Amino acid sequence: MSKLENPGRVEDFGSPHDWERLVQEDRVHRLIYTDPGIFREEMTKIFGAVWVYLAHESQIPRNDDFVTVHLGLRPLIVLRDSRGGVRALYNRCTHRGTTICRQDRGSAKAFQCPYHGWTYLNSGKLSGVPWPDGYACDFKDAKFNLAQVPRIAIYRGFIFGTLNSDAPPLLEYLGPITRPIDEWLDRHPGGRIVFCEANRLKYRGNWKLAYDNSADGYHVVFSHRSLLDMENRLEEDPDKGMSYYRSKPDEAPMYVQYLGHGHHFKDKRPNVAKRPGALWEIEGAHPGMEHYEAKLRRRLGAKADRVLDLASSEPVNINVFPNLLILGNHVQVIEPVAVDETKLTWYATAVVDDSGELEGAAEDVNALRMRTQEGFPNFGEVDDAVNFEEIQRGLQALEDEWVYMHRGLGIPGRVKVAADGVITAPATDEVFMREYIKEWKRLMQARPNLVVRREP
Amino acid sequence: MQQKHDPSRDSHYVDDDFYRDLTASFSDWQRDERLVADPVLREQCRAFLDREARLLDERRFEEWLALFAPECLYWVPGTPDGGDPRKEVAISFDDRRQLEGRVYRLRTGYAWSQVPPSRTARLVSNVEVFATDREAVRMVRSNFLISEFRAGETRVLSGCYAHRLARGVDGWQILVKQVNLIDCDQNLRNPSLIL
């Protein structure tokens, strides 16, 4: 039985914020993006109180493997301990607070604090301190073991953690968003992917600007105009990439959904013909395309279309509140750094073919898939990130208080609510933003019971 | 018969051999015994890099593109050792067509990450030339500092370049330009600049 430790219920101290005023039906106040106090509250009421995505199992495939990440601002070591259990240890020496691990990833059975040499097993248990006879205390006391995230749960390789002892089970938290996650995974051999390096970006702006954007079908042809122009610049390449946004996107079969608990989903797959090779046909130009396509067709014949689709960007945005965005073939992670600074890490994914389903073509698929994944971070996301920065700059205008998210609101018949509560709307609708920010407001008004755990 | 492809239109040359040559030629090449002592050649390479930096500082991208061989690569690895690009993504990995697309995008006027454009002053230094197995091909290592002003702020980007140059009839051409940012594996703010 491990020891739970309550660092104290998150106290509002009479939070100075009038949440009903800050978050309204059609608009939100600029302060939710700019106020350092609200950001501090988010680091406990959101990042910590809900299930937050931490890492992917493929980053720690073997026992003793670790990666360092953050839960909000808390530095963590996510690892597979020597017995194979996945843990998220606080990267903080219990002695003086020093981070004990300064590498992004690696393999270690134990961590020794570089400051005074306290050493911890990867279970989090203190294994020794230098010259213990200088201490009167009993180092078997659990309080000297590393703090760790008390609840860790894994959904098909995605590792989540929460500090909230009252949070529902992960599956309940994810709810219907598991369906698109399953579909996204199941298009791959064996229903799985592995992470392989990343395009790493950051911007000077609030983290919610990225989450607001993640299912936004309204910005595409404007923010990404240069990308669409570039992808379609050669006459042999018409209608590539996200060209389907160009005329009347709300009349296209794609849609946006709000799935509860802050999660949303943009499904562009209905725009693409449902046959093998249709996805590959709209993929923009990337290095090596023609060579590898010809090679795969020679090798696999009619089966090549389906395999080429694996190198193509899957037209979905699966957004798991607050920080996990699955889009194309990427797993993008939002990491808040400060009220006006955010890291966006676009992990690339590769296919693995243990069962030989691809008949030895996995290497070629990945050689293509790496190149297709470099496209959007290079030629699309950079423009969004600058627009996020320019929002942050615009929001410095104190007297002009409101940010609108009312596209689609009040138009009869536009937004449909199913019996299970799932809300569906046309592609450019902002209903997903209104709904998730409502959930955000609910969380900011709550008083979650956050705890850490230590080995006994 | 091998069909002739236009590398500006399609990408047949980025194949298994290309990747194999790339990873082989960009590993273990900075060996002292391969250092070229010839001051004339070193000066030629230095002048080539100076001109390249000037073209980029002046946003003369079309002339800059003309420095590259038809089948070329602009490569910004996302890990300090460059890794195997078949198995991992890079910050940028542009063949001829994509490099032309990169310039095309910047010229549209709608690439918001470069509207207004960055102003840059590039310093290229510590130029060393290394021999390769091929007489007409040289590897050139240099350090760079790019002082960039954009959106009211000035920052410095730095690292080292590795140019794989081939001697053609009209002088040197870039086969591969590898840009090794010192912070390549960290989260980068607005990496839309051509490095």
Side-chain angles (χ1 to χ4, degrees):
Chain A
M1 183 61 199
S2 61
K3 190 176 154 84
L4 281 178
E5 198 175 298
N6 191 341
R9 186 168 281 271
V10 177
E11 294 298 343
D12 265 340
F13 302 111
S15 179
H17 305 291
D18 177 353
W19 302 109
E20 294 303 335
R21 178 174 138 75
L22 294 179
V23 176
Q24 301 178 7
E25 188 186 23
D26 59 336
R27 61 185 191 177
V28 294
H29 197 277
R30 55 177 286 281
L31 280 175
I32 76 165
Y33 300 103
T34 60
D35 186 80
I38 291 179
F39 179 80
R40 271 196 300 277
E41 287 189 47
E42 283 178 325
M43 292 305 102
T44 51
K45 293 178 172 178
I46 308 288
F47 287 85
V50 302
W51 286 100
V52 175
Y53 170 77
L54 298 177
H56 191 265
E57 275 197 290
S58 66
Q59 295 175 287
I60 48 170
R62 289 167 297 273
N63 288 2
D64 303 324
D65 287 349
F66 70 83
V67 287
T68 50
V69 302
H70 288 88
L71 168 54
L73 301 180
R74 305 164 189 85
L76 298 183
I77 310 167
V78 175
L79 55 75
R80 199 178 288 279
D81 67 27
S82 296
R83 292 177 167 184
V86 173
R87 298 174 184 266
L89 306 178
Y90 276 51
N91 189 4
R92 180 210 184 279
C93 186
T94 52
H95 174 216
R96 300 284 302 162
T98 325
T99 60
I100 56 172
C101 176
R102 290 125 194 232
Q103 286 165 268
D104 296 331
R105 59 186 142 180
S107 186
K109 289 186 192 311
F111 298 92
Q112 184 174 61
C113 179
Y115 194 15
H116 299 91
W118 286 30
T119 301
Y120 304 88
L121 302 177
N122 61 16
S123 63
K125 216 172 160 66
L126 181 69
S127 64
V129 306
W131 308 308
D133 48 1
Y135 281 102
C137 69
D138 177 8
F139 277 111
K140 289 197 168 58
D141 189 329
K143 73 182 179 189
F144 296 117
N145 297 331
L146 292 175
Q148 47 189 296
V149 177
R151 296 177 68 191
I152 295 288
I154 301 173
Y155 185 74
R156 296 195 64 178
F158 296 96
I159 304 167
F160 294 81
T162 182
L163 306 174
N164 186 353
S165 50
D166 302 323
L170 176 64
L171 263 182
E172 190 183 325
Y173 176 72
L174 293 175
I177 196 97
T178 54
R179 182 184 54 83
I181 295 175
D182 289 345
E183 289 170 0
W184 186 82
L185 284 167
D186 289 339
R187 85 185 192 105
H188 302 95
R192 71 186 188 103
I193 47 87
V194 294
F195 278 29
C196 50
E197 298 306 330
N199 284 94
R200 299 167 192 274
L201 302 169
K202 65 180 174 188
Y203 64 90
R204 212 164 281 170
N206 188 262
W207 69 273
K208 293 189 292 304
L209 298 171
Y211 199 72
D212 292 351
N213 177 261
S214 59
D216 178 357
Y218 197 23
H219 78 294
V220 176
V221 296
F222 304 98
S223 195
H224 302 308
R225 180 166 173 178
S226 68
L227 168 65
L228 295 176
D229 284 358
M230 174 191 161
E231 283 183 329
N232 294 284
R233 78 196 156 97
L234 302 173
E235 66 269 24
E236 58 265 39
D237 280 351
D239 306 323
K240 292 289 184 182
M242 294 190 287
S243 297
Y244 44 69
Y245 272 107
R246 277 183 157 160
S247 63
K248 302 189 176 169
D250 282 347
E251 291 172 21
M254 60 181 162
Y255 58 88
V256 66
Q257 283 186 329
Y258 179 74
L259 300 170
H261 289 122
H263 315 316
H264 36 72
F265 173 43
K266 162 65 61 64
D267 190 3
K268 298 166 284 193
R269 294 173 302 181
N271 293 347
V272 184
K274 244 187 153 71
R275 60 175 163 76
L279 209 49
W280 178 248
E281 277 168 28
I282 62 163
E283 189 62 49
H286 299 287
M289 272 187 115
E290 286 78 4
H291 167 75
Y292 284 101
E293 176 176 346
K295 186 181 174 193
L296 287 166
R297 288 196 186 286
R298 273 196 309 275
R299 181 168 176 172
L300 300 173
K303 202 179 164 187
D305 279 319
R306 204 186 73 75
V307 172
L308 284 163
D309 283 344
L310 289 175
S312 319
S313 182
E314 177 75 339
V316 293
N317 299 77
I318 305 163
N319 307 315
V320 182
F321 186 78
N323 67 333
L324 170 65
L325 315 177
I326 300 170
L327 69 165
N329 295 321
H330 282 105
V331 175
Q332 187 191 166
V333 182
I334 300 175
E335 192 182 310
V337 177
V339 66
D340 56 357
E341 189 175 349
T342 305
K343 291 180 180 175
L344 296 177
T345 303
W346 292 61
Y347 290 97
T349 63
V351 301
V352 278
D353 187 23
D354 297 334
S355 60
E357 207 179 304
L358 302 181
E359 298 171 25
E363 267 187 34
D364 290 342
V365 168
N366 285 330
L368 268 180
R369 186 169 159 126
M370 294 307 119
R371 302 292 83 81
T372 56
Q373 289 179 100
E374 284 153 358
F376 195 76
N378 267 271
F379 307 114
E381 185 63 16
V382 284
D383 293 336
D384 275 344
V386 158
N387 281 329
F388 302 161
E389 293 200 353
E390 295 298 330
I391 293 175
Q392 200 74 24
R393 196 189 292 259
L395 295 183
Q396 298 310 308
L398 304 183
E399 301 75 17
D400 204 355
E401 298 171 287
W402 301 103
V403 177
Y404 285 89
M405 39 182 71
H406 67 306
R407 184 171 171 78
L409 181 66
I411 298 181
R414 187 175 159 100
V415 172
K416 296 182 174 56
V417 185
D420 59 359
V422 171
I423 299 170
T424 304
T428 70
D429 207 289
E430 289 170 342
V431 65
F432 76 92
M433 248 189 259
R434 295 191 290 277
E435 291 298 326
Y436 106 74
I437 211 70
K438 225 185 273 176
E439 175 67 4
W440 179 88
K441 176 167 74 174
R442 189 187 71 77
L443 291 163
M444 294 301 279
Q445 290 169 315
R447 294 188 172 197
N449 187 30
L450 303 192
V451 297
V452 295
R453 182 169 80 80
R454 295 178 201 273
E455 282 296 283
Chain B
M1 200 187 108
Q2 185 72 36
Q3 202 188 326
K4 193 68 197 151
H5 296 291
D6 176 0
S8 295
R9 316 289 294 193
D10 48 39
S11 184
H12 284 276
Y13 71 93
V14 179
D15 58 14
D16 295 330
D17 289 340
F18 178 88
Y19 281 117
R20 253 192 302 274
D21 286 353
L22 183 70
T23 45
S25 59
F26 277 81
S27 60
D28 192 33
W29 57 277
Q30 301 171 42
R31 282 152 52 186
D32 281 338
E33 68 269 24
R34 290 190 165 184
L35 261 174
V36 172
D38 176 8
V40 176
L41 179 57
R42 291 173 62 177
E43 194 47 40
Q44 270 178 15
C45 291
R46 208 189 311 264
F48 184 91
L49 297 187
D50 286 349
R51 176 158 183 268
E52 191 209 347
R54 176 164 51 85
L55 293 177
L56 286 173
D57 279 345
E58 295 177 353
R59 296 176 56 79
R60 290 158 65 184
F61 299 133
E62 291 75 11
E63 290 167 81
W64 174 72
L65 277 172
L67 299 178
F68 284 80
E71 297 188 349
C72 62
L73 179 70
Y74 168 75
W75 179 21
V76 188
T79 48
D81 64 359
D84 181 346
R86 278 167 297 194
K87 298 192 168 103
E88 58 186 71
V89 286
I91 294 171
S92 298
F93 193 95
D94 295 354
D95 62 354
R96 158 67 62 177
R97 176 175 56 187
Q98 187 151 297
L99 200 49
E100 290 179 0
R102 182 179 291 277
V103 169
Y104 178 93
R105 192 183 86 87
L106 294 175
R107 294 294 193 216
T108 61
Y110 302 110
W112 308 117
S113 49
Q114 281 295 309
V115 180
S118 299
R119 295 179 203 157
T120 59
R122 294 156 198 259
L123 303 183
V124 180
S125 186
N126 304 46
V127 178
E128 293 180 294
V129 183
F130 294 85
T132 72
D133 298 338
R134 291 163 59 192
E135 181 50 38
V137 176
R138 294 286 180 272
M139 297 288 289
V140 184
R141 187 197 186 283
S142 59
N143 286 343
F144 67 86
L145 281 177
I146 303 174
S147 178
E148 179 197 30
F149 170 78
R150 193 187 172 278
E153 288 172 53
T154 302
R155 66 168 171 172
V156 171
L157 298 159
S158 65
C160 71
Y161 290 134
H163 284 77
R164 188 167 175 83
L165 300 181
R167 205 197 313 261
V169 277
D170 303 320
W172 294 99
Q173 279 191 317
I174 304 172
L175 295 174
V176 180
K177 178 180 183 179
Q178 187 195 47
V179 182
N180 297 288
L181 287 165
I182 57 170
D183 50 356
C184 66
D185 56 355
Q186 302 299 303
N187 293 71
L188 303 170
R189 187 178 177 214
N190 192 1
S192 60
L193 182 73
I194 294 180
L195 296 165

